[in-house]
Amino acid sequence: MSRTVYVNGNWYPEEDARVSVFDRGFLMADGVYEVTSVLDSGLIDFQRHCKRLARSLSELDIPNPHTMEEWTALHEEIRRRNGLTEGLIYLQVTRGAEDRDFAWSDDLVPTVVLFTQAKGLLDNPAAQRGLTIKTIDDLRWLRRDIKTVQLLYPSMGKMMARQAGADDAWMVEEGLVTEGTSNNAYIIKSEKIITRQLSPRILPGITRLAVLALADETGMSVEERPFSVAEAQAADEAFLTSATAFVMPVVEIDGVKIGSGTPGPLVNRLRALYIERARQHGVES
Ligand code: PDD
C-alpha cells in the first residue's frame, strides 16, 4: 500500500511526492534530518529530536520552518495518516532550491519532507545474537555533531562491513573509536560503561542521552572518554545505540569476540530498561 508523504505543506501518495532537481539537498547535501522511532503508536523522545533539529539548522544558518508544536503536529499527523504503530518517521529539511551555485541566497525557503517506514523494532533478531563490527577509518568531515544528510561515507562504511561479513562498522580516528556508521558506540569494563564524550567528532545521540541517564539512575557508572579498538576487543561487553536500534549488543569486533561472544547481561538489562521506559513514558526523564 502506498504511503502518504509530506512535502512542503502538502500530503501526497508516495508516487506523486516531488522535490526540485535544483534542491540544494540533492545537489550539495545541504540539509539536515532526524529519525524518530514509533512504538505502540507513540513517538519516542520527540522533544529531544526536535531540539537537536533546531540546533542542526541553526549551525548551518537554515531557518527553522516550524515551531516545536508544529513539528509535533506534523509527526502525529503523518503517523496517523499512515497507521504507523511501530517503525520510524524520517524528517528532512534542506536549505531549499535555486539554480546551482556553491554560495546560496539568504532568502531561500527550506524544503521539508517527512515519510514513515513501518518496521518491527522490538522483535529485532540482532538483539538476541548481537552484532559483529568491522572497524574503518573515520573519513567524515569534522562537524559530525550536525545531523546532515551527507551520508555517503557512512553508507560506504556499511557496505565495507557487509563485504567483510560484518553487520556494521565503527569508525576510528587517531586510534580511537568515534562512533558507528549510524549509532553511538560503547564498551563495558568491570561494570563501567565507557563511551566517547560529546564533541564535534560525534553526533549527540538522543538514545545515548537517555541510556546514560538510565545507567545513572540504576547506579551503573559511566565514563565519557574515547577508547581504542584494542580496549574494545578486551572489554567485557560492548553495544551501540540509535533511535531505531535502541540498545544493541555488539559481540565481535574485527573478528575478536567480546567477552563470551554473546550479548552480555548488562547490555541486555540496559536494552530492557530503555524499551520499558520508551513504551511507558516515551523516554524523556
Ligand atoms: N542515525 N551517530 C550517528 C552517526 C548516527 O547517524 C546516529 C543516528 C546516531 C544515534 O543517534 P540517535 O540516538 O539520536 O538516533 C549516532 C539514525 C538513526 C539514522 O541515520 O538512521
Side-chain angles (χ1 to χ4, degrees):
M1 200 185 73
S2 165
R3 284 170 291 188
T4 298
V5 168
Y6 176 89
V7 184
N8 296 332
N10 297 301
W11 301 94
Y12 301 94
E14 63 181 69
E15 310 74 36
D16 300 335
R18 301 272 181 278
V19 290
S20 166
V21 293
F22 297 107
D23 194 278
R24 289 185 59 90
F26 177 61
L27 295 177
M28 306 282 183
D30 186 355
V32 303
Y33 75 108
E34 281 296 328
V35 173
T36 306
S37 61
V38 170
L39 280 183
D40 308 323
S41 304
L43 299 172
I44 304 304
D45 244 351
F46 184 67
Q47 287 209 345
R48 285 179 178 151
H49 282 284
C50 228
K51 282 186 203 146
R52 185 173 63 188
L53 171 72
R55 180 179 179 276
S56 293
L57 289 168
S58 140
E59 290 296 302
L60 299 178
D61 286 328
I62 299 175
N64 191 338
H66 293 295
T67 62
M68 173 104 75
E69 290 69 33
E70 289 166 350
W71 284 126
T72 308
L74 280 174
H75 277 65
E76 292 291 359
E77 172 87 10
I78 199 163
R79 193 207 62 68
R80 193 188 58 72
R81 282 181 184 253
N82 289 281
L84 183 70
T85 55
E86 190 169 329
L88 64 91
I89 298 174
Y90 178 88
L91 154 69
Q92 180 165 323
V93 182
T94 73
R95 195 177 303 276
E98 65 178 338
D99 205 358
R100 183 178 181 275
D101 195 353
F102 284 76
W104 59 78
S105 306
D106 289 332
D107 57 354
L108 286 186
V109 178
T111 302
V112 178
V113 169
L114 277 89
F115 59 81
T116 55
Q117 288 184 306
K119 216 173 183 176
L121 303 177
L122 292 170
D123 281 331
N124 187 339
Q128 266 78 56
R129 58 179 167 77
L131 299 180
T132 59
I133 297 292
K134 173 181 167 52
T135 62
I136 59 172
D137 288 338
D138 196 338
L139 300 182
R140 298 172 301 162
W141 77 332
L142 286 173
R143 288 305 309 276
R144 305 160 193 158
D145 54 317
I146 308 172
K147 200 165 170 58
T148 73
V149 295
Q150 303 174 44
L151 296 178
L152 178 56
Y153 188 68
S155 300
M156 289 168 70
K158 293 255 191 217
M159 295 308 288
M160 287 186 252
R162 187 184 287 184
Q163 279 149 17
D167 295 309
D168 204 346
W170 278 5
M171 295 178 276
V172 178
E173 193 172 58
E174 292 162 0
L176 301 167
V177 173
T178 51
E179 59 185 335
T181 54
S182 62
N183 44 66
N184 291 115
Y186 311 71
I187 57 173
I188 302 179
K189 187 72 180 177
S190 307
E191 307 203 340
K192 183 189 282 177
I193 299 173
I194 302 164
T195 192
R196 189 183 263 267
Q197 71 277 19
L198 297 185
S199 78
R201 289 174 190 271
I202 64 168
L203 186 79
I206 302 304
T207 323
R208 176 188 184 279
L209 190 63
V211 165
L212 294 189
L214 272 177
D216 225 37
E217 266 176 46
T218 52
M220 286 179 74
S221 58
V222 175
E223 196 177 339
E224 294 184 62
R225 63 158 175 87
F227 54 85
S228 68
V229 176
E231 189 180 6
Q233 288 171 325
D236 301 327
E237 302 182 41
F239 64 101
L240 55 82
T241 64
S242 79
T244 48
F246 307 144
V247 175
M248 191 58 70
V250 164
V251 294
E252 195 180 295
I253 299 174
D254 289 342
V256 176
K257 285 194 178 3
I258 310 303
S260 62
T262 56
L266 294 179
V267 174
N268 285 341
R269 182 154 159 248
L270 272 176
R271 179 175 170 85
L273 276 172
Y274 178 82
I275 289 173
E276 186 187 300
R277 182 67 61 93
R279 296 185 89 169
Q280 284 174 0
H281 307 288
V283 178
E284 300 255 348
S285 66

